[in-house]
Amino acid sequence: MEAAWTLPGTVHPVGRQRNLFEAAATYVAACAENDEQRSSEAARWVTPEALTFGVNELACRAVIALARERDESPYRVARSLLGLPAA
């Protein structure tokens, strides 16, 4: 499986265009690791709207995967991840 982000110092071909899912994966992973430089770089790869869409898609897929793994509803998993009480 290919990594969702590239290692520091990795050189990309000039003019290489990254897609919104690559930008979202890199952005979210960098934010989770508190890597402000990498998250800022990823945010420049695509438009803010595209990044928002990609982050939303990543969040949905992550919640669905965790819900299946935990055998719980996506609603319950999402609330749990955000530290909200069960409703």
Side-chain angles (χ1 to χ4, degrees):
M1 176 182 253
E2 185 177 314
W5 54 274
T6 57
L7 297 174
T10 301
V11 177
H12 296 288
V14 175
R16 178 178 179 269
Q17 186 173 357
R18 294 169 181 92
N19 70 43
L20 67 101
F21 295 118
E22 182 180 9
T26 301
Y27 179 83
V28 170
C31 288
E33 296 170 348
N34 203 24
D35 185 339
E36 191 173 317
Q37 181 179 358
R38 194 161 44 107
S39 67
S40 294
E41 179 186 345
R44 291 189 298 268
W45 294 348
V46 294
T47 66
E49 295 82 8
L51 183 61
T52 299
F53 176 82
V55 169
N56 182 64
E57 186 66 22
L58 177 59
C60 290
R61 291 179 187 196
V63 168
I64 289 168
L66 283 172
R68 288 178 181 158
E69 184 178 293
R70 296 178 182 182
D71 196 28
E72 294 181 0
S73 72
Y75 180 76
R76 181 174 290 233
V77 170
R79 292 186 63 83
S80 172
L81 288 172
L82 292 172
L84 299 173

